[in-house]
Amino acid sequence: QVQLKESGPGLVKPSLTLSLTCTVSGFSLSSYGVIWVRQPPGKGLEWMGVIWGNGNTNYNSALKSRLSISRDTSKSQVFLKMNNLQTEDTAMYFCARGPFDYWGQGVMVTVSS
Amino acid sequence: DVVMTQTPVSLPVSLGGQASISCRSSQSLVHSNGNTYLHWYLQKPGQSPQLLIYRVSNRFSGVPDRFSGSGSGTDFTLKISRVEPEDLGDYYCLQSTHFPYTFGAGTKLELK
């Protein structure tokens, strides 16, 4: 069955870089894209970016200067890196299979000194 | 960016009743390939969003037929008939026609 699971540090200091991993199973990263979405506490959903099955990427222009998405198909893993974190980046971070059909459980990231 | 205006913000319903949620986009969601990429999600507390309806009117696997989606162009509706307790939560529309993909602000379906 299709599964996605996010992992990463729960706490990041301001100005540092966030690194998250999405480990997938039940499908091939060469056939499906993986999308990153985040949700600040008590707020709505924000699309961050996607890495497609062919390896191309698209990013939300609001985050593009800070965001990078990559993958290791041999390990079935997708990576998110976002630099210069601020307190407003505190959120639950989800990965989802393109076309947004299956989602991981999410990982909470708090930006605080 | 495409703005998705979702109404109402809160929707009190009675169990067994009907609910209707509207989502309007600031520009047409018809893709150049002819498809319309408008989807509906339910997010229950502490959970990730779950796909209900994809491309306007297609129910995702396992979604009861109490859920139906309709609309075209810039105006879309999700209807829930015979509301059950497990239907309560936050509903979101999502457009994936234009970059950046954007979500509606959400509708909280709660008991009257």
Side-chain angles (χ1 to χ4, degrees), chain B residues 67-87:
Chain B
F67 291 88
S68 63
S70 62
S72 63
T74 61
D75 200 350
F76 304 91
T77 302
L78 174 71
K79 284 187 164 53
I80 312 162
S81 60
R82 305 182 305 279
V83 171
E84 298 190 4
E86 59 264 32
D87 301 337

mmCIF file of all heavy atoms in Angstrom, chain B residues 67-87:
data_model
loop_
_atom_site.group_PDB
_atom_site.id
_atom_site.type_symbol
_atom_site.label_atom_id
_atom_site.label_comp_id
_atom_site.label_asym_id
_atom_site.label_seq_id
_atom_site.Cartn_x
_atom_site.Cartn_y
_atom_site.Cartn_z
ATOM 1 N N PHE B 67 -20.778 12.061 -0.466
ATOM 2 C CA PHE B 67 -19.961 13.213 -0.880
ATOM 3 C C PHE B 67 -20.048 13.377 -2.400
ATOM 4 O O PHE B 67 -19.857 12.405 -3.145
ATOM 5 C CB PHE B 67 -18.493 13.004 -0.487
ATOM 6 C CG PHE B 67 -18.245 13.040 0.992
ATOM 7 C CD1 PHE B 67 -18.349 11.882 1.746
ATOM 8 C CD2 PHE B 67 -17.915 14.228 1.622
ATOM 9 C CE1 PHE B 67 -18.126 11.902 3.109
ATOM 10 C CE2 PHE B 67 -17.691 14.260 2.991
ATOM 11 C CZ PHE B 67 -17.794 13.095 3.739
ATOM 12 N N SER B 68 -20.323 14.604 -2.825
ATOM 13 C CA SER B 68 -20.358 14.862 -4.257
ATOM 14 C C SER B 68 -19.776 16.238 -4.546
ATOM 15 O O SER B 68 -19.931 17.170 -3.751
ATOM 16 C CB SER B 68 -21.785 14.766 -4.803
ATOM 17 O OG SER B 68 -22.605 15.752 -4.227
ATOM 18 N N GLY B 69 -19.106 16.336 -5.686
ATOM 19 C CA GLY B 69 -18.520 17.600 -6.095
ATOM 20 C C GLY B 69 -19.050 18.011 -7.448
ATOM 21 O O GLY B 69 -19.348 17.161 -8.297
ATOM 22 N N SER B 70 -19.163 19.323 -7.636
ATOM 23 C CA SER B 70 -19.653 19.827 -8.908
ATOM 24 C C SER B 70 -19.036 21.185 -9.176
ATOM 25 O O SER B 70 -18.368 21.766 -8.308
ATOM 26 C CB SER B 70 -21.181 19.940 -8.889
ATOM 27 O OG SER B 70 -21.591 20.871 -7.901
ATOM 28 N N GLY B 71 -19.274 21.693 -10.376
ATOM 29 C CA GLY B 71 -18.816 23.031 -10.724
ATOM 30 C C GLY B 71 -17.993 23.047 -11.991
ATOM 31 O O GLY B 71 -17.718 22.002 -12.593
ATOM 32 N N SER B 72 -17.605 24.248 -12.375
ATOM 33 C CA SER B 72 -16.781 24.426 -13.563
ATOM 34 C C SER B 72 -16.183 25.819 -13.556
ATOM 35 O O SER B 72 -16.700 26.719 -12.870
ATOM 36 C CB SER B 72 -17.612 24.220 -14.837
ATOM 37 O OG SER B 72 -18.634 25.195 -14.911
ATOM 38 N N GLY B 73 -15.113 25.976 -14.307
ATOM 39 C CA GLY B 73 -14.506 27.295 -14.473
ATOM 40 C C GLY B 73 -13.923 27.863 -13.198
ATOM 41 O O GLY B 73 -12.775 27.573 -12.849
ATOM 42 N N THR B 74 -14.716 28.676 -12.503
ATOM 43 C CA THR B 74 -14.243 29.335 -11.285
ATOM 44 C C THR B 74 -15.132 29.069 -10.082
ATOM 45 O O THR B 74 -14.868 29.586 -8.990
ATOM 46 C CB THR B 74 -14.185 30.870 -11.485
ATOM 47 O OG1 THR B 74 -15.508 31.349 -11.767
ATOM 48 C CG2 THR B 74 -13.241 31.263 -12.617
ATOM 49 N N ASP B 75 -16.170 28.278 -10.250
ATOM 50 C CA ASP B 75 -17.172 28.129 -9.205
ATOM 51 C C ASP B 75 -17.428 26.647 -8.920
ATOM 52 O O ASP B 75 -17.894 25.922 -9.798
ATOM 53 C CB ASP B 75 -18.465 28.819 -9.667
ATOM 54 C CG ASP B 75 -19.385 29.149 -8.538
ATOM 55 O OD1 ASP B 75 -19.136 28.684 -7.396
ATOM 56 O OD2 ASP B 75 -20.386 29.849 -8.776
ATOM 57 N N PHE B 76 -17.150 26.224 -7.684
ATOM 58 C CA PHE B 76 -17.198 24.801 -7.353
ATOM 59 C C PHE B 76 -17.901 24.594 -6.025
ATOM 60 O O PHE B 76 -17.883 25.471 -5.148
ATOM 61 C CB PHE B 76 -15.777 24.230 -7.298
ATOM 62 C CG PHE B 76 -15.016 24.463 -8.561
ATOM 63 C CD1 PHE B 76 -14.231 25.601 -8.722
ATOM 64 C CD2 PHE B 76 -15.111 23.575 -9.620
ATOM 65 C CE1 PHE B 76 -13.550 25.848 -9.897
ATOM 66 C CE2 PHE B 76 -14.436 23.808 -10.807
ATOM 67 C CZ PHE B 76 -13.656 24.939 -10.940
ATOM 68 N N THR B 77 -18.519 23.406 -5.882
ATOM 69 C CA THR B 77 -19.290 23.106 -4.676
ATOM 70 C C THR B 77 -19.044 21.672 -4.240
ATOM 71 O O THR B 77 -18.991 20.759 -5.066
ATOM 72 C CB THR B 77 -20.801 23.300 -4.938
ATOM 73 O OG1 THR B 77 -21.034 24.650 -5.359
ATOM 74 C CG2 THR B 77 -21.599 23.027 -3.670
ATOM 75 N N LEU B 78 -18.916 21.508 -2.934
ATOM 76 C CA LEU B 78 -18.882 20.179 -2.323
ATOM 77 C C LEU B 78 -20.170 20.022 -1.532
ATOM 78 O O LEU B 78 -20.521 20.895 -0.731
ATOM 79 C CB LEU B 78 -17.681 20.037 -1.392
ATOM 80 C CG LEU B 78 -17.622 18.730 -0.586
ATOM 81 C CD1 LEU B 78 -17.291 17.554 -1.496
ATOM 82 C CD2 LEU B 78 -16.595 18.832 0.545
ATOM 83 N N LYS B 79 -20.880 18.935 -1.774
ATOM 84 C CA LYS B 79 -22.109 18.654 -1.019
ATOM 85 C C LYS B 79 -21.923 17.374 -0.227
ATOM 86 O O LYS B 79 -21.360 16.382 -0.723
ATOM 87 C CB LYS B 79 -23.302 18.527 -1.964
ATOM 88 C CG LYS B 79 -23.825 19.858 -2.489
ATOM 89 C CD LYS B 79 -25.102 19.681 -3.271
ATOM 90 C CE LYS B 79 -25.869 20.953 -3.505
ATOM 91 N NZ LYS B 79 -25.163 22.048 -4.097
ATOM 92 N N ILE B 80 -22.425 17.419 0.999
ATOM 93 C CA ILE B 80 -22.412 16.241 1.858
ATOM 94 C C ILE B 80 -23.846 15.983 2.275
ATOM 95 O O ILE B 80 -24.486 16.858 2.879
ATOM 96 C CB ILE B 80 -21.549 16.448 3.111
ATOM 97 C CG1 ILE B 80 -20.177 17.039 2.742
ATOM 98 C CG2 ILE B 80 -21.366 15.137 3.877
ATOM 99 C CD1 ILE B 80 -19.440 17.677 3.894
ATOM 100 N N SER B 81 -24.351 14.828 1.945
ATOM 101 C CA SER B 81 -25.719 14.491 2.355
ATOM 102 C C SER B 81 -25.662 13.521 3.521
ATOM 103 O O SER B 81 -24.657 12.819 3.718
ATOM 104 C CB SER B 81 -26.483 13.876 1.180
ATOM 105 O OG SER B 81 -25.834 12.703 0.742
ATOM 106 N N ARG B 82 -26.711 13.517 4.306
ATOM 107 C CA ARG B 82 -26.821 12.578 5.438
ATOM 108 C C ARG B 82 -25.536 12.610 6.277
ATOM 109 O O ARG B 82 -24.861 11.605 6.471
ATOM 110 C CB ARG B 82 -27.107 11.160 4.941
ATOM 111 C CG ARG B 82 -28.323 11.067 4.044
ATOM 112 C CD ARG B 82 -28.600 9.625 3.614
ATOM 113 N NE ARG B 82 -27.475 8.968 2.986
ATOM 114 C CZ ARG B 82 -27.114 9.111 1.733
ATOM 115 N NH1 ARG B 82 -27.820 9.930 0.930
ATOM 116 N NH2 ARG B 82 -26.083 8.456 1.226
ATOM 117 N N VAL B 83 -25.214 13.798 6.811
ATOM 118 C CA VAL B 83 -23.972 13.999 7.560
ATOM 119 C C VAL B 83 -23.870 13.017 8.725
ATOM 120 O O VAL B 83 -24.826 12.850 9.500
ATOM 121 C CB VAL B 83 -23.877 15.454 8.068
ATOM 122 C CG1 VAL B 83 -22.713 15.608 9.037
ATOM 123 C CG2 VAL B 83 -23.731 16.421 6.894
ATOM 124 N N GLU B 84 -22.683 12.412 8.834
ATOM 125 C CA GLU B 84 -22.401 11.473 9.918
ATOM 126 C C GLU B 84 -21.310 12.060 10.825
ATOM 127 O O GLU B 84 -20.582 12.976 10.414
ATOM 128 C CB GLU B 84 -21.966 10.130 9.341
ATOM 129 C CG GLU B 84 -23.041 9.468 8.484
ATOM 130 C CD GLU B 84 -22.697 8.035 8.107
ATOM 131 O OE1 GLU B 84 -21.660 7.514 8.574
ATOM 132 O OE2 GLU B 84 -23.485 7.429 7.339
ATOM 133 N N PRO B 85 -21.173 11.537 12.031
ATOM 134 C CA PRO B 85 -20.180 12.103 12.965
ATOM 135 C C PRO B 85 -18.762 12.123 12.396
ATOM 136 O O PRO B 85 -18.010 13.073 12.650
ATOM 137 C CB PRO B 85 -20.277 11.165 14.171
ATOM 138 C CG PRO B 85 -21.663 10.623 14.121
ATOM 139 C CD PRO B 85 -22.001 10.497 12.669
ATOM 140 N N GLU B 86 -18.404 11.110 11.601
ATOM 141 C CA GLU B 86 -17.042 11.055 11.064
ATOM 142 C C GLU B 86 -16.801 12.083 9.960
ATOM 143 O O GLU B 86 -15.672 12.211 9.462
ATOM 144 C CB GLU B 86 -16.720 9.654 10.546
ATOM 145 C CG GLU B 86 -17.642 9.149 9.462
ATOM 146 C CD GLU B 86 -18.761 8.284 10.013
ATOM 147 O OE1 GLU B 86 -19.197 8.536 11.163
ATOM 148 O OE2 GLU B 86 -19.180 7.362 9.293
ATOM 149 N N ASP B 87 -17.836 12.813 9.552
ATOM 150 C CA ASP B 87 -17.689 13.849 8.528
ATOM 151 C C ASP B 87 -17.258 15.190 9.117
ATOM 152 O O ASP B 87 -16.917 16.122 8.375
ATOM 153 C CB ASP B 87 -19.000 14.063 7.765
ATOM 154 C CG ASP B 87 -19.508 12.802 7.078
ATOM 155 O OD1 ASP B 87 -18.688 11.900 6.819
ATOM 156 O OD2 ASP B 87 -20.724 12.729 6.814
#
